Amino acid sequence: MQGLMMDMPLLISTILQQAARHFGDVEIVSRRVEGDIHRTDYRGLETRARRLADALSKAGVADGDRVATLAWNGYRHMELYYAAGGMGGVIHTINPRLHPDQIAWIVNHAEDKFLAFDITFLPIIEAIAARCPNVKGWIAMIDPDRQPSSDKIPGLINYEALLDGGSADYRWPTLDENSAVGLCYTSGTTGNPKGALYSHRSSVIHAYAAALPDAMGASSRDVILPVVPMFHVNAWGLPYVAPMVGAKLVFPGQHLDGQSIYELFEQEGVTYSAGVPTVWLGLLQYMRSKSLRFSTLKRTVIGGSACPPAMIRSFRDDYGVEVIHAWGMTELSPLGTLAKLQARHQGLPDEAQQKVLEKQGHVIFGIDMKIVDDQNQELPWDGSSFGNLLVRGPWVVREYFKSEGGNPLVDDEEGHGWFPTGDVATIDSDGYMQITDRSKDVIKSGGEWISSIDLENLALAHPAVANAAVIGIAHPKWDERPLLIVVKKPDAKVDRKDLIEFYDGKVAKWWIPDDVQFVDEIPLGATGKILKTRLRELFADYRLPDAA
Ligand code: ADP
């Protein structure tokens, strides 16, 4: 027997409509590339998004057509999300920190029809326009009086002029909820980038799930500043979550340094933020140097790479801010797990609670996960057995865009497909997952595995260490041994011996790095994560002391 409930498709346009109707006067504040602070609200945003959708459809954007962006977090970017996605097109966010050759490759692979960009990225557009024949128009997201001109960009359009041609009478179409709405490419550290193609249904369900109290836990009382860029897996879903719950949004634009972020936090009363660990390193350093406090910030989601326990503690003990450690990936829209305390943890001593919060966390309902060995046999949830992490769920990819890379799924005995994350993890008896490493970063020493993440986290707890990375170095006897690479804090005095001794008693003796190298900076990838591939290149000729 069928249920007798209405069959209303889950569409992202309904999120913005709801926000305009119920939270119409809730503000959206943006620091713009023009240099000023811009203010609008959900009602204003929804009207402009409809006009933009109309303008895009008049310009020839049809169902399934890709509209790409190279843009910071801002209200125009948000309008594009809803206009392109809501009308039946696909919003394709591109990471501007990638090399222009990679960007051109991605634009051509995605067959983007239009590309909207903040003028910061004009040089990238000039470098790629001639190589991207599918793009009919390049849309500069800037006030008309600041519109750039360039003879290298045929079809250069002004965003506001385009929007002016759209009618506010436009109505959002009723689409199939399984139709595509968003496209994000993985950063492709190995092989070509691969596209995750989200549907309306997956995006709406992901937003519901993200908003749950034990997930991101956003509400209409929050003022959310996503530091995580809207080109990094849709700012982890916040452009859908915030209007869904009616939270005020604050967009930081291009200035992501500690001072600029801090100023916006304070001026706009931000209660909630999200970003990768490296941005918080910058913010915390700035705040320490100026002896500043947060007056409104209460929580921040930290993920994208392992959040060092020392950072979780500093946020809590020095600033009274709760860190929600989260794990996810582009292929998961991106949220998979988040670490929050459950009722069972309430009575535990502080130290034990901290250990729970340091893990990558518990799945949100909708995601199923397991760890398996190399023969695909499931491993126990005992907190110590570690293996390849597999997931499935309604917001997990089943196939990459244009089948790039073939079928990624691993079937179980019942024929269910599981997505192999490429991460190695443990799961404890309470269902809390902890990432040991990315499978390609784990250090294999004498047939056993050493977690580079654990060693980095320990180094980051040393008071003289500003940033740290650990990579495996070839060793004639052990196969690989860990090398610790460290950026010292300004004026800090620390040497190799101090750091090696710092590990004593904290990890098994055979885990302790064989050597330490000091560097001025650690290379970061396009999403602010440590670029281990680059580090391995930089240290390709390095020999460990006893292996020299
Ligand atoms: P890319 O590899 O393209 O940067 P993602 O941004 O999707 O792709 O990164 C996903 C990967 O980032 C995960 O598979 C995992 O290795 C890592 N990651 C994400 N969050 C965490 C976390 N909290 N702790 C450790 N690793 C994480």
Side-chain angles (χ1 to χ4, degrees), residues 185-189 198 232-233 236 276-277 302-307 325-332 334 337 358-361 389 419 421-424 433-441 453 526-527 529:
Y185 280 74
T186 62
S187 51
T189 39
Y198 311 121
H232 187 195
V233 214
W236 303 347
V276 296
I302 302 186
S305 54
C307 180
H325 191 195
W327 168 86
M329 56 197 307
T330 308
E331 290 89 338
L332 271 80
T337 64
E358 288 166 11
K359 298 193 175 197
Q360 275 70 13
L389 178 67
F419 178 77
T421 63
D423 287 326
V424 176
M433 185 272 285
Q434 184 157 29
I435 301 275
T436 309
D437 236 322
R438 281 198 129 171
S439 52
K440 47 187 185 286
D441 293 338
I453 294 181
T527 50
K529 305 182 196 193

Side-chain angles (χ1 to χ4, degrees), residues 19-20 22-28 40-43:
H22 295 276
F23 308 108
D25 58 351
V26 172
E27 269 192 313
I28 296 152
T40 181
D41 54 26
Y42 282 118
R43 195 173 297 119

